[in-house]
Amino acid sequence: MNRLKGMNRTTRKNYITYLVVIAAYVILEVLMRGGGLKAATKGMLVPICAYIVMALSLNLTVGIMGELSLGHAGFMSVGAFCGTATTMCLVNAIPSGGLRLCLGIIVGTIAAALVGFLIGIPVLRLRGDYLAIVTLAFGEIIKSIVGNVYMGVDGGRLKFSMFTNELNLSPNGRIIIEGAMGIRSIPRIATFTAGFILIMISLIVIFHMVGSRAGRAIMAIRDNYIAAESIGIPAFKYKITAFTISAAMAGAAGALFGNNYSSLIASKFNIDTSILVLVFVVLGGQGNMLGSIIAAAALTILPEALRGFADYRMLMYAIILIAVMLVSNNAKVKDILKNLAEKRAAKAMKGGAAHE
Amino acid sequence: MSFLNYLVSGLSLGSIYAIIALGYTMVYGIAKMLNFAHGDVIMIGSYVCFFAFTRYGLNPFISVILAMLVCTMLGIVIEKLAYKPLRAAPSLAVLITAIGVSYLLQNMALLLWSSNPKVFTPIVGKPGSNSFTIGGLTVSYVTLLTIVTCVVIMIVLTTFISRTKLGKAMRAVSEDKGAAQLMGIDVNTTISVTFAIGSGLAAVAGILLCSAYPNLTPTTGSMPGIKAFTAAVFGGIGSIPGAFLGGLLLGIIENLAKAYISTQISDAIVFGVLIIVLLVKPAGLLGKPMREKV
């Protein structure tokens, strides 16, 4: 406990985040083994993990880098399709589901990182609302393109075509991606443990990045672009690094997500999904990773928890969203929170003095 | 169909985008916020007109006025309840609230009117024939009405902004809120009026949209809303002639892309053009380049 007190605040916060995630995993895993979870809840565990990784990834762009991205679902889509297609292709070659999933996630991550890097080159030259609208545009473009890809395996060879099915597969060939119909009869090999590992890796990557020289440079650029550039920080280089990492993580989340359902279509990853993830980040607090995790988990469960309200549940969801934004930005509430924080700080100071 | 036909129908679609984009651009210019709920105000306007005109057989003119009134009120109420308390809040908080309002309107519509599509009857046109021919070019009455409405709105709005006292106040508030307040301009009223005008125009756009594409559902407004928002950025967000130009160009590009390239990726082409324009002109076609002060 004393060691925990001796650490600086950021390190302590990072460890608390790790602990919360591990504790949640252990508790849920025990509940699942003991049969204490309903089937509906069990089915939501992997999507929640995927959304948590998405929220962490977007928080890197929005919270740490300070740029609004409205096309994050696009990277998730690239990861989902590449990752799922990989696991589908390897069904016969690699019998172990875990290994296949791992390979699928790696392929999805690399593909999304590549797309993120290529999109980042033009996008990161813009700023503010213009950057936001261009990411939205790229998200829609990715959706249109992915929804028109046809891919099949035929005798160990991959075949591709765009817009129409011109694969000309032989009778023992297998179609994998079927344009707007997407991928069907996926073996569903994603597991909760894989989701947990992915969250932990994402957290480690983000915390290391934020604490590093690159992270400090990125936050300096966020806080004052001109000042940062004038002391010789290569803004574009650091921004594209962060953006690519963010896209890669979204790809990993997508690959996990895609392998959890029996079918996958491109139109699932539309602007609504991008916005959903943005809501997680803003409600959880920009730059606050634990906040993102809690918001992603809570808001994914909320519509299920509101099932009692039947038809009214999405209405309730909207009202809760607006109410939270209004209350958390209310001047009076902010004053009260500020007073509380000041009192706590004063108490800590007093305690510290007495200790010495 | 000839090239000219595609061009005219593109112009008509573009006019609808332009009218919606005007609402986006005015609100952005004055409140510096992306009003994501604008697309859903369009949908509400269409439903009001649908019930007044198609269900209860009111006069089309009265139905349109009624839809505009309802949307204007809705715009003012949304601004007062959801956006005004957040005037000093960070812009992302306002954006999320706008998204919340958008969900709220969509789900209210879903509860009230269900997700079954309503078939909208065009508000103009004679029974039996809804188009006429000039020199080999077939034009529907709806297309003509849409283009004429857009031009009229553009002229009236430009005159209003540049000639009237309230228009002047709007320009002043969009330039510098604090200075405008010091000059005795009521900033809150000005912002409310902007929302009222934008929402009233949204009702018109919704009615024209549903006259051209008659399937009305609670999500009818979302995609045209996003496209119109793109059009506003395309033309230079905050600029009224920019929204007009951006809307028209976007509609034409979309229609020509559908006709000559592929219907499946016409959206991708539209967004691709937007990206190229923004890379060459980062403030949009008619936007003022921003200078940063150090």
Side-chain angles (χ1 to χ4, degrees), chain A residues 61-262:
Chain A
T61 306
V62 175
I64 309 294
M65 199 165 85
E67 296 290 5
L68 178 57
S69 164
L70 292 176
H72 231 58
F75 302 129
M76 192 182 182
S77 170
V78 170
F81 275 83
C82 292
T84 313
T86 309
T87 57
M88 293 276 287
C89 287
L90 296 175
V91 161
N92 300 324
I94 304 173
S96 151
L99 187 61
R100 249 188 306 142
L101 181 66
C102 184
L103 273 175
I105 290 178
I106 290 172
V107 171
T109 309
I110 294 172
L114 198 68
V115 173
F117 177 74
L118 291 177
I119 288 177
I121 294 172
V123 163
L124 294 173
R125 297 191 185 279
L126 300 166
R127 296 179 57 203
D129 293 328
Y130 290 95
L131 189 145
I133 184 80
V134 170
T135 53
L136 186 156
F138 270 116
E140 289 297 309
I141 291 177
I142 292 176
K143 189 185 88 186
S144 299
I145 292 176
V146 172
N148 282 302
V149 170
Y150 291 82
M151 185 188 126
V153 261
D154 198 354
R157 280 205 1 253
L158 290 179
K159 283 185 171 176
F160 291 93
S161 78
M162 282 292 287
F163 305 124
T164 48
N165 188 351
E166 287 161 6
L167 298 173
N168 303 322
L169 294 176
S170 64
N172 47 10
R174 202 150 54 92
I175 188 147
I176 297 204
I177 305 176
E178 211 178 339
M181 314 268 267
I183 308 181
R184 282 179 291 178
S185 43
I186 302 168
R188 306 188 60 181
I189 49 174
T191 57
F192 180 46
T193 308
F196 163 72
I197 295 170
L198 207 58
I199 294 174
M200 288 306 280
I201 295 175
S202 309
L203 281 175
I204 293 169
V205 169
I206 289 180
F207 287 151
H208 273 263
M209 170 145 188
V210 171
S212 71
R213 188 186 172 84
R216 288 194 300 275
I218 289 163
M219 285 186 281
I221 298 164
R222 173 194 67 190
D223 293 339
N224 193 327
Y225 186 82
I226 295 168
E229 274 207 317
S230 72
I231 56 163
I233 294 175
F236 184 71
K237 192 184 109 190
Y238 281 121
K239 275 180 144 181
I240 200 148
T241 313
F243 195 70
T244 309
I245 293 175
S246 174
M249 280 165 53
L256 179 76
F257 189 84
N259 277 300
N260 182 54
Y261 292 98
S262 53

Side-chain angles (χ1 to χ4, degrees), chain B residues 74-85 87 188-189 192:
Chain B
L74 187 67
I76 294 174
V77 169
I78 291 173
E79 201 273 329
K80 277 270 174 320
L81 292 183
Y83 303 152
K84 198 178 160 201
R87 227 21 82 72
N188 280 328
T189 312
S192 289

Side-chain angles (χ1 to χ4, degrees), chain A residues 62 68 70 121-123 125-127 129-134 136-138 140-145 147-148 150 162-164 225-226 271-272 275-276 278-280 282-283 286 311-312 314-315 317-319 321-322 325-326 329-330 334, chain B residues 28 32 34 36 81-83 85-86 88-97 99-101 103-105 107-108 111 223 226 229-230 233 236-237 262 264-265 267-269 271-272 274-275 278-279 282-284 287-288 290 292-294:
Chain A
V62 175
L68 178 57
L70 292 176
I121 294 172
V123 163
R125 297 191 185 279
L126 300 166
R127 296 179 57 203
D129 293 328
Y130 290 95
L131 189 145
I133 184 80
V134 170
L136 186 156
F138 270 116
E140 289 297 309
I141 291 177
I142 292 176
K143 189 185 88 186
S144 299
I145 292 176
N148 282 302
Y150 291 82
M162 282 292 287
F163 305 124
T164 48
Y225 186 82
I226 295 168
I271 170 107
D272 287 340
I275 285 176
L276 185 73
L278 183 67
V279 170
F280 299 157
V282 176
L283 280 188
Q286 292 164 54
D311 293 344
Y312 295 92
M314 285 315 287
L315 199 69
Y317 181 89
I319 292 170
L321 191 63
I322 298 172
M325 287 332 284
L326 288 182
N329 284 291
N330 191 302
K334 267 189 174 168
Chain B
Y28 185 88
K32 295 286 175 288
L34 304 177
F36 258 94
L81 292 183
Y83 303 152
L86 295 174
S91 62
L92 254 183
V94 189
L95 183 74
I96 301 291
T97 311
I99 290 164
V101 173
Y103 285 167
L104 184 75
L105 292 178
N107 287 296
M108 258 168 33
L111 284 176
M223 203 54 202
I226 288 173
F229 171 46
T230 312
V233 178
I237 195 151
S262 155
Q264 290 144 314
I265 59 156
D267 284 356
I269 292 169
F271 286 116
L274 168 83
I275 291 167
L278 281 188
L279 290 177
K288 274 180 256 164
M290 285 178 294
E292 273 178 81
K293 284 180 193 157
V294 182

